[in-house]
Amino acid sequence: MKKLSVLTMFLSQVFLFCLFSSADEGMWLFTNAPKDQIQKEYGYTLTPDFLEHLQKSSIRFGNGGSASFVSSNGLVMTNHHVAVSTLQKLSSKSQDLVQNGFYAKTLAEELKCPDVELIVLMQITDVTETVNQSVTEKMTPTEAEAARRAIINQIEQVAAQKTGLDKCEVITLYQGGLYHLYCYKKFTDVRLVFAPENSVGFFGGEPDNFEYPRYNLDVAFFRVYENNKPYQAKHFLRWSQQGAQNGELVFVSGHPARTDRFRTIDHLSFQQDVEYPYLLNKLRRREVLLQIFSEKNADNARRVSSELFRIRNSRKNRTGILSGLQDPKLITQKFNDDEKLYNQIVEKNLIDMEKNNPWEKINTALQTWEEIYIPYDLLEKSEAFNCQTYKIARNIVRYVIEKEKPSEKRLREFQDLNLEAMKANILSVQSIEDDIEILKLTDSLGMYVEYFAENEYANGEYEGLNLLANLSPKDRAVQLLKNTKVKNVAERQKLLASDLKTLNESTDPMIQLALLVEEPSRILRTVYDEQVAEPLRQAYAQIAQVRFLVNGTSVYPDATFTLRLSYGKVAGYVDDNGKTIPPWTTLQGTFDHAAEHNNVYPYNLPQSWLNNKSKVNLKTPINIVTTNDIIGGNSGSPLINQRGEVVGLIFDGNVQSLVSNFIYTDAQSRAVSVHSSGIKEALSSIYQATRIVDELGK
Amino acid sequence: MKKLSVLTMFLSQVFLFCLFSSADEGMWLFTNAPKDQIQKEYGYTLTPDFLEHLQKSSIRFGNGGSASFVSSNGLVMTNHHVAVSTLQKLSSKSQDLVQNGFYAKTLAEELKCPDVELIVLMQITDVTETVNQSVTEKMTPTEAEAARRAIINQIEQVAAQKTGLDKCEVITLYQGGLYHLYCYKKFTDVRLVFAPENSVGFFGGEPDNFEYPRYNLDVAFFRVYENNKPYQAKHFLRWSQQGAQNGELVFVSGHPARTDRFRTIDHLSFQQDVEYPYLLNKLRRREVLLQIFSEKNADNARRVSSELFRIRNSRKNRTGILSGLQDPKLITQKFNDDEKLYNQIVEKNLIDMEKNNPWEKINTALQTWEEIYIPYDLLEKSEAFNCQTYKIARNIVRYVIEKEKPSEKRLREFQDLNLEAMKANILSVQSIEDDIEILKLTDSLGMYVEYFAENEYANGEYEGLNLLANLSPKDRAVQLLKNTKVKNVAERQKLLASDLKTLNESTDPMIQLALLVEEPSRILRTVYDEQVAEPLRQAYAQIAQVRFLVNGTSVYPDATFTLRLSYGKVAGYVDDNGKTIPPWTTLQGTFDHAAEHNNVYPYNLPQSWLNNKSKVNLKTPINIVTTNDIIGGNSGSPLINQRGEVVGLIFDGNVQSLVSNFIYTDAQSRAVSVHSSGIKEALSSIYQATRIVDELGK
């Protein structure tokens, strides 16, 4: 605990006190909902029926968001910004659904979406004992990891056969303290019903993102089909007629992607020193790159809009987290929590700290992690080759190598259970645009050269590699992308069916590059798997298990992009300037906010809004803040009241909530939703989407 | 020459050939103009009269651009982008001269500009011998630096008295191979005559910057006054009636700011490895910061527009240089040049390489430079405290400390000759805007924390400092800026008149911070001055002197933001895609370029252009490219023909020219000017600025 001692010196100068109540904290498992806390704080009794209904009405959207059923006819509600990559795929130069929005006046007009997969969690089983029994104390980390992976694969395969459900997954909770088997129903016939124009779906753009007050209509509707007919949902959420009142208890059911709440103070320090500065430099360089490209013309802007949004969103998010990590107030609290737990464990003699100190194991793993952090990112995570074409070539090379091995010896993503998905991914038709590919690959090769020259590891270990082939980054990118054939799907198919010898003899420069990277990349992967990921997993599992002994079930696990329940209340707050921020804004505010900015981008309300202003009830609430504990991945989650009715749609957190990556606070931190009444008012008065309004009203 | 050997290995794999002719290369001294080359290549005889007239018609604009007299009545022409910071200062929320442009219909309407200083070079004297005689071989680097500084101060003071000219400066040329005394006439009553709207002055914005073809009206006119009357210029440039033809010989007279043409290959490698990656990360983080701030509303955008332009410009520029440094084609050529010179020196036994190898001295200095590079930037260059208020506090602290010493013992910027300017700078009324100050200081303190935590030097050397006072970057920035009194000019005056004891007892947090930084910052400054700057100066002077022996006067010195002459010809080129780019564009192209982008920002032509399109002769050339060797600082330089007439106005280089920081190429690299005919056509047909057109016509 090297850094603890340094921190102690530092913290001795800081006034120590607990700034934050943690009343509404937690992203709870549905199997361990905080019934007592809710009963005590709000006098409300959470029932099993309520939980089951909510669970089965909740949807995980593709690979990056949440959603819910909001009618018996399979109508699905999520955020516009969750839908936007699908909108982009459905768009062309002549028909821009991102910019212009979409409304299917009839069922027949609903637009089938490519590559969208929705899943609903149907069954939860605790498999902790089975998983843990597969690992014995005598095993090395590598053996332990292999044994655990093997039993997990087996559990998943058996469950898939037994339940007949489409997707069965073992979820690691509490950093390995618990293992749950989640079985999902899957929907792939998903059609677009309604999306507003981007200018109001992402009203206020980048400057308003993660800010409050807000005035957005960040909503989209899809419909799920089975056998070409609307899916008849047994579980769906009804629409609240009046919305939520100030102070009212509300729930969020969704899929928070990731939190780092239970990291040790040294691990947070690692994130502050190593991880975030590097990632932010990378994000900013890509933001600037795509920003300039976008400014060249409208077509460029359209083609990179969703990637640029993702980058800017991620940059702002991580900037907020890093600000928190640099804030002694918050770090003091984390330090105290960490120290308290450590002392409790020592006092109760729960771990032999002389021989088996998990804090030390974590620090050892982090030392290794720091050494390989940048080369791992550049080579194993392919960040030096930031284009779709390289990723295809890389996956082809790995597919061909891995398929020769028995499943359990392969990299996880190539094991039998995942092999078909990987193959489908490699073959999926992708719109590969040469100019964007060259732009991104040139930049990332340039970044590689910068680090390659500076980073001792890379210099020593990789200098023989000659990845640039004695060309400048730009010339190399052009050479690779003009001459590779993997842009062609039939060529990919042929290569997948071939063997390593054939690949080695191939003249495709992108395949040759991927082959060249393969050896050092494997070494990095092995170091990471064995000396970083597995020791961290084991050490955190060890801490999590004794935390159970100390805290009982009063703790919740870190977010893992699986279904969680959060509770909280509708509540305004006082901002940094001492101003009281009311709990909701109104449609009047949306129009005012646009007018204050001369209706200029990104505050330009679309024509539909300007034309229909007179029909709108301007007092209708549009956005609303609550104390719910949420994070990225919760986008599109329903906000519901005690009767299980929709009162809102989570779409953001304010800037003070960004630190919730590692700590929950509720002084100013708020979850931001589109208000249920605002959604309905816009649908009826602005979009005349009576078909949808009627369906929600049922 | 550690890296040379590594490079040799690498280069042995590279096909070596000379890609570039260097026909029109050079930023020549007016005292050593390339008469023979011009005679030989163009059959044109450069006369002393031509040179003198051109020299005295040329103007250095403030601290960052070039200009020229274009009428006998003191009319001055420069770029809109050189004028923009002045336009911003003349603007308010109600009157935005950046956005709306300006035209003074009468002499009386010409607008007096704050803080603008123009200088014209009147006398040039070679003082190399005098300077060199002051330094003896027995002196230590510190003594040598002090002795040289003392004699330079003396030369400058004597010259000021003797010539009666306003500004006398000793200029270091050829890295110390030559010292010239430059005496200038200075003008401070400068008034705005004409500037177009920003949307056409910077037409195409960031995406078109450093690109070609271009279609800009990047021009502005000022007038110089003496005794409240227009200055009667003896030397001024007449306007060409027809502009330049394809292939025609043209000259540029202006102030290229800085090149690194004569750096050793190891020094270029240092720039690639250390300098540019760090600077670009810093520039991109500031670009993103101000970009977001700008997007919030139009007033924000106005208030940071010139700083954001500077950052984006610098980022694009440095990105281009770094791309060149990462290009084996160019580096091979530099390597060969470096090796050739080295071998020539060894062969002719011009330097005893065993005892006195300047290449080794440079490498030793660069090793030290690398060690202190980041802390020096953060502390000594105040980059950790990126706001105006800190810089004022820092200068006050240094002023108070330095004024107690004899002049020659002070830091150069506080020596008698510079002390009044420094004082004026500290006291100059500046519009200090709290929100921008907090934004920038928060970000730069955050950057400091990132490096402070990572950088061993900083950690080891500075950890006792507690610059953040146990606050988060945001909280610290707010605390400093809300409580400092140095925003008040009277307070600054009081502090300047005080002593160190008073400062030490002050409760002003910004003064206290500057005091806290002072000690480590001084140490860094001393290390830099003695172990980096001075050894580099000496080693490069040593190389430059023997280069004279080898090359004679056929070489030109690196750019130093002093007056230079460049020659070249009007010439199109073939771009990367094999497309022939003609040597000029037309006003038709300007309108077409806007239309192709739906007249949307940054391609939105102003209303004046749209309204007057029918009056415009659309065939008139608007931008023109030439092979002149220019660089940043040349902005606003006149492009003139053999008769000394204005045929254009330099405003940019294309993206291929960015590498001219360290190497001149002419395959694709081009200087970009506004065409003289386009300027006149826009003035008359669009702006009805007949007063100016008549004045130019004389």
Side-chain angles (χ1 to χ4, degrees), chain A residues 436-449:
Chain A
I436 298 175
E437 294 277 284
I438 290 174
L439 179 84
K440 286 164 60 179
L441 182 56
T442 300
D443 179 69
S444 63
L445 286 173
M447 184 177 80
Y448 170 78
V449 175

mmCIF file of all heavy atoms in Angstrom, chain A residues 436-449:
data_model
loop_
_atom_site.group_PDB
_atom_site.id
_atom_site.type_symbol
_atom_site.label_atom_id
_atom_site.label_comp_id
_atom_site.label_asym_id
_atom_site.label_seq_id
_atom_site.Cartn_x
_atom_site.Cartn_y
_atom_site.Cartn_z
ATOM 1 N N ILE A 436 -12.855 8.263 -44.780
ATOM 2 C CA ILE A 436 -12.895 8.229 -43.311
ATOM 3 C C ILE A 436 -11.868 7.231 -42.777
ATOM 4 O O ILE A 436 -11.172 7.491 -41.792
ATOM 5 C CB ILE A 436 -14.312 7.879 -42.810
ATOM 6 C CG1 ILE A 436 -15.304 8.952 -43.261
ATOM 7 C CG2 ILE A 436 -14.337 7.732 -41.294
ATOM 8 C CD1 ILE A 436 -16.751 8.661 -42.931
ATOM 9 N N GLU A 437 -11.756 6.096 -43.454
ATOM 10 C CA GLU A 437 -10.781 5.088 -43.048
ATOM 11 C C GLU A 437 -9.349 5.654 -43.103
ATOM 12 O O GLU A 437 -8.560 5.473 -42.175
ATOM 13 C CB GLU A 437 -10.879 3.847 -43.941
ATOM 14 C CG GLU A 437 -12.180 3.066 -43.836
ATOM 15 C CD GLU A 437 -12.199 2.097 -42.663
ATOM 16 O OE1 GLU A 437 -11.561 1.033 -42.730
ATOM 17 O OE2 GLU A 437 -12.880 2.423 -41.658
ATOM 18 N N ILE A 438 -9.037 6.337 -44.188
ATOM 19 C CA ILE A 438 -7.685 6.907 -44.347
ATOM 20 C C ILE A 438 -7.432 7.977 -43.285
ATOM 21 O O ILE A 438 -6.380 8.010 -42.646
ATOM 22 C CB ILE A 438 -7.488 7.484 -45.775
ATOM 23 C CG1 ILE A 438 -7.416 6.339 -46.796
ATOM 24 C CG2 ILE A 438 -6.215 8.332 -45.855
ATOM 25 C CD1 ILE A 438 -7.370 6.782 -48.251
ATOM 26 N N LEU A 439 -8.424 8.824 -43.088
ATOM 27 C CA LEU A 439 -8.309 9.889 -42.087
ATOM 28 C C LEU A 439 -7.970 9.313 -40.713
ATOM 29 O O LEU A 439 -7.027 9.740 -40.041
ATOM 30 C CB LEU A 439 -9.641 10.649 -42.023
ATOM 31 C CG LEU A 439 -9.740 11.785 -41.014
ATOM 32 C CD1 LEU A 439 -9.148 13.058 -41.635
ATOM 33 C CD2 LEU A 439 -11.188 12.043 -40.611
ATOM 34 N N LYS A 440 -8.759 8.315 -40.294
ATOM 35 C CA LYS A 440 -8.608 7.770 -38.947
ATOM 36 C C LYS A 440 -7.335 6.933 -38.816
ATOM 37 O O LYS A 440 -6.645 6.985 -37.798
ATOM 38 C CB LYS A 440 -9.845 6.946 -38.573
ATOM 39 C CG LYS A 440 -11.060 7.821 -38.274
ATOM 40 C CD LYS A 440 -12.383 7.049 -38.289
ATOM 41 C CE LYS A 440 -12.403 5.942 -37.263
ATOM 42 N NZ LYS A 440 -13.695 5.212 -37.278
ATOM 43 N N LEU A 441 -7.032 6.155 -39.844
ATOM 44 C CA LEU A 441 -5.840 5.304 -39.773
ATOM 45 C C LEU A 441 -4.564 6.152 -39.787
ATOM 46 O O LEU A 441 -3.617 5.885 -39.035
ATOM 47 C CB LEU A 441 -5.844 4.283 -40.918
ATOM 48 C CG LEU A 441 -4.671 3.294 -40.947
ATOM 49 C CD1 LEU A 441 -4.567 2.518 -39.629
ATOM 50 C CD2 LEU A 441 -4.812 2.318 -42.109
ATOM 51 N N THR A 442 -4.549 7.183 -40.615
ATOM 52 C CA THR A 442 -3.393 8.089 -40.637
ATOM 53 C C THR A 442 -3.146 8.661 -39.251
ATOM 54 O O THR A 442 -2.022 8.648 -38.734
ATOM 55 C CB THR A 442 -3.636 9.253 -41.632
ATOM 56 O OG1 THR A 442 -3.824 8.713 -42.935
ATOM 57 C CG2 THR A 442 -2.453 10.211 -41.645
ATOM 58 N N ASP A 443 -4.214 9.154 -38.639
ATOM 59 C CA ASP A 443 -4.069 9.776 -37.325
ATOM 60 C C ASP A 443 -3.604 8.776 -36.271
ATOM 61 O O ASP A 443 -2.729 9.077 -35.461
ATOM 62 C CB ASP A 443 -5.401 10.394 -36.898
ATOM 63 C CG ASP A 443 -5.306 11.022 -35.535
ATOM 64 O OD1 ASP A 443 -4.614 12.052 -35.428
ATOM 65 O OD2 ASP A 443 -5.872 10.479 -34.571
ATOM 66 N N SER A 444 -4.159 7.583 -36.294
ATOM 67 C CA SER A 444 -3.810 6.637 -35.230
ATOM 68 C C SER A 444 -2.408 6.060 -35.449
ATOM 69 O O SER A 444 -1.694 5.769 -34.486
ATOM 70 C CB SER A 444 -4.859 5.530 -35.101
ATOM 71 O OG SER A 444 -4.929 4.763 -36.275
ATOM 72 N N LEU A 445 -1.994 5.917 -36.707
ATOM 73 C CA LEU A 445 -0.605 5.511 -36.962
ATOM 74 C C LEU A 445 0.353 6.600 -36.472
ATOM 75 O O LEU A 445 1.412 6.306 -35.912
ATOM 76 C CB LEU A 445 -0.378 5.236 -38.454
ATOM 77 C CG LEU A 445 -0.982 3.946 -39.014
ATOM 78 C CD1 LEU A 445 -0.817 3.903 -40.536
ATOM 79 C CD2 LEU A 445 -0.355 2.702 -38.390
ATOM 80 N N GLY A 446 -0.037 7.855 -36.687
ATOM 81 C CA GLY A 446 0.767 8.967 -36.172
ATOM 82 C C GLY A 446 0.874 8.905 -34.655
ATOM 83 O O GLY A 446 1.957 9.102 -34.087
ATOM 84 N N MET A 447 -0.235 8.605 -33.996
ATOM 85 C CA MET A 447 -0.225 8.474 -32.537
ATOM 86 C C MET A 447 0.697 7.333 -32.118
ATOM 87 O O MET A 447 1.461 7.443 -31.164
ATOM 88 C CB MET A 447 -1.655 8.227 -32.044
ATOM 89 C CG MET A 447 -1.771 8.174 -30.540
ATOM 90 S SD MET A 447 -3.491 7.970 -29.966
ATOM 91 C CE MET A 447 -3.709 6.203 -30.209
ATOM 92 N N TYR A 448 0.621 6.245 -32.852
ATOM 93 C CA TYR A 448 1.498 5.107 -32.572
ATOM 94 C C TYR A 448 2.966 5.521 -32.673
ATOM 95 O O TYR A 448 3.767 5.197 -31.799
ATOM 96 C CB TYR A 448 1.189 3.964 -33.549
ATOM 97 C CG TYR A 448 2.199 2.846 -33.508
ATOM 98 C CD1 TYR A 448 2.171 1.902 -32.481
ATOM 99 C CD2 TYR A 448 3.196 2.745 -34.473
ATOM 100 C CE1 TYR A 448 3.110 0.881 -32.430
ATOM 101 C CE2 TYR A 448 4.134 1.734 -34.424
ATOM 102 C CZ TYR A 448 4.090 0.804 -33.401
ATOM 103 O OH TYR A 448 5.020 -0.189 -33.347
ATOM 104 N N VAL A 449 3.315 6.244 -33.726
ATOM 105 C CA VAL A 449 4.709 6.671 -33.891
ATOM 106 C C VAL A 449 5.136 7.550 -32.716
ATOM 107 O O VAL A 449 6.239 7.415 -32.190
ATOM 108 C CB VAL A 449 4.919 7.413 -35.237
ATOM 109 C CG1 VAL A 449 6.339 7.958 -35.325
ATOM 110 C CG2 VAL A 449 4.650 6.476 -36.398
#
